[in-house]
Amino acid sequence: MLTFFKRYNLTILIGIIFIAIWALVTKYATWINPVIFPQPITVIQSFGVKIGELLNGVVSSMKLLIPGFFGALIIGVVGGLFFGLNRRSREVLMPYFHALSPIPPTLFIPYVIAILPTFQTASMSLIFIGAFWPVFLGTIHGVLLIEKHYLDNAKSLGLKGPTFLLKVVLPASAPHILSGASTSLAMSFLILTIAEMFGASSGMGFFIQYYSDFSQYHYVLAGIIFNSIIIVTVMIAFEKIKKRLLFWTNLKADSK
């Protein structure tokens, strides 16, 4: 704990200063609308009132995010390995990949709503679309950046098939795959929140939209802060898993 405070003392200080300014401005500034910008104490009290609803929203949101994200992760890695290792297929289709990947997933909302039977499947599909491209393209680039002598050594040792993929290609391209997965996870939360604000009956995004419709902005701010805490926690946990999986890169950094 002491190490934590030493490392993040300035970060904590900035947060305290921000809250103090927020409290002073909302209390004394006459030009601030107290409904839209409630005092910090009011927002803190809102957590106590709605904590059960907020936690239920997280569970509901994870039921959409987890299938969409992990589906994109699996298919993105498998597809990226295939196209990364097959030059001809990659050269033929890569222009289409570059054309489709920048399209915002939210543009597909009218289609997924019209084609898919439920809001849940539509939301998972949007999350899948948004999360797929960073993993897929990151995997392709990771394979292409593998140093040639590693591949030559693997061939000289007679490695092929699943052994070649698991022992050589995946470890060598893992930094790019996990970097793409990190981007995909952040994108998944963004799409999830947007989707829930339009058609959900529960969830983190629904909570914010629901109380904004009733102008209860102390609950809105509580929801925004709570969502931020959840997202940051998940992203930090993912980064720790990423460092554990890429332990050899940490050893290289420490040796320098």
Side-chain angles (χ1 to χ4, degrees), residues 61-76:
S61 294
M62 291 302 107
K63 290 179 180 178
L64 300 177
L65 186 138
I66 290 174
F69 173 73
F70 280 100
L73 183 63
I74 294 169
I75 296 176

Side-chain angles (χ1 to χ4, degrees), residues 47-234:
F47 276 101
V49 175
K50 295 295 182 180
I51 188 62
E53 190 173 340
L54 288 167
L55 292 174
N56 288 334
V58 173
V59 174
S60 178
S61 294
M62 291 302 107
K63 290 179 180 178
L64 300 177
L65 186 138
I66 290 174
F69 173 73
F70 280 100
L73 183 63
I74 294 169
I75 296 176
V77 170
V78 172
L81 290 174
F82 173 81
F83 285 103
L85 294 171
N86 290 273
R87 179 179 176 182
R88 182 56 184 163
S89 299
R90 183 176 67 252
E91 289 177 346
V92 171
L93 295 178
M94 203 65 183
Y96 292 103
F97 299 155
H98 286 306
L100 293 173
S101 59
I103 298 176
T106 50
L107 294 183
F108 296 103
I109 288 177
Y111 289 95
V112 296
I113 291 176
I115 296 172
L116 298 174
T118 64
F119 165 78
Q120 285 75 17
T121 55
S123 297
M124 286 187 286
S125 298
L126 287 175
I127 293 169
F128 174 88
I129 293 170
F132 170 78
W133 290 111
V135 175
F136 177 68
L137 295 177
T139 304
I140 291 176
H141 292 151
V143 174
L144 294 178
L145 291 174
I146 297 175
E147 295 184 22
K148 189 174 183 299
H149 70 270
Y150 286 130
L151 301 178
D152 293 337
N153 290 340
K155 290 178 181 178
S156 65
L157 292 172
L159 297 178
K160 56 184 178 180
T163 304
F164 174 67
L165 288 175
L166 295 175
K167 298 292 185 180
V168 179
V169 177
L170 269 178
S173 56
H176 292 85
I177 294 173
L178 292 174
S179 178
S182 180
T183 303
S184 294
L185 185 58
M187 179 67 73
S188 297
F189 274 109
L190 176 63
I191 299 169
L192 170 70
T193 304
I194 293 173
E196 288 180 333
M197 292 179 76
F198 284 100
S201 58
S202 63
M204 298 190 298
F206 169 80
F207 181 93
I208 295 171
Q209 183 62 49
Y210 178 81
Y211 286 105
S212 68
D213 289 341
F214 292 96
S215 298
Q216 294 179 295
Y217 287 97
H218 53 294
Y219 291 144
V220 171
L221 283 176
I224 291 172
I225 294 171
F226 183 80
N227 286 4
S228 299
I229 293 171
I230 295 297
I231 293 170
V232 169
T233 302
V234 172

Side-chain angles (χ1 to χ4, degrees), residues 8-23:
Y8 294 105
N9 55 355
L10 288 177
T11 305
I12 295 171
L13 179 61
I14 291 171
I16 293 172
I17 292 172
F18 174 79
I19 293 172
I21 293 173
W22 175 12

